[in-house]
Amino acid sequence: MRGVAAVWTFPQKIGIYSMVEKLVQFKTSSTEERMIYGKLAIFFDDWVSSAKLSGQVDSAQYREGLFALLAHVNAARSEAISDKGGVENLEFLVSRIRNSYSDSIHKFFGQ
């Protein structure tokens, strides 16, 4: 995993910010959201989770990918304490990923 350093590099800040900016535009469980999550997993150097996030929203693999992505974002959030804007973006991502996970469970049981 490529963690986000306590002092963020400019490309890391831009990468997270641009993904958050794009994510805000799309609904939970949309195809676009899944693509952004896949790119975010790649940002954290997690190709396995990226592949899982391309699956069906109600699948166990998708939830596993979300869970792994959430772990990466939480780790980055704890490492980014010195960057207030970065922490806010990561907190948004944590909230959004949790909502997506919840939505996936509801879709699975709603079948």
Side-chain angles (χ1 to χ4, degrees), residues 16-79:
I16 291 289
Y17 177 78
S18 65
M19 287 184 222
V20 167
E21 186 178 60
K22 290 176 187 173
L23 196 54
V24 170
Q25 301 171 16
F26 302 110
K27 293 182 180 183
T28 301
S29 299
S30 66
T31 302
E32 295 86 0
E33 179 191 64
R34 292 194 335 255
M35 287 174 35
I36 293 168
Y37 285 162
K39 289 178 183 179
L40 189 57
I42 291 169
F43 177 83
F44 287 111
D45 218 11
D46 186 348
W47 294 85
V48 172
S49 293
S50 179
K52 289 180 179 181
L53 290 165
S54 66
Q56 293 297 320
V57 173
D58 61 351
S59 73
Q61 276 194 331
Y62 180 75
R63 288 189 297 279
E64 288 172 10
L66 285 174
F67 192 77
L69 183 59
L70 184 60
H72 293 308
V73 173
N74 273 324
R77 183 176 64 167
S78 68
E79 294 172 4

Side-chain angles (χ1 to χ4, degrees), residues 85-97:
V87 170
E88 290 172 359
N89 284 327
L90 290 165
E91 286 175 355
F92 169 80
L93 285 173
V94 166
S95 176
R96 182 69 182 254
I97 294 167

Side-chain angles (χ1 to χ4, degrees), residues 94-109:
V94 166
S95 176
R96 182 69 182 254
I97 294 167
R98 285 180 180 161
N99 288 343
S100 297
Y101 191 88
S102 176
D103 188 60
S104 176
I105 290 172
H106 287 287
K107 286 184 180 196
F108 175 76
F109 286 110

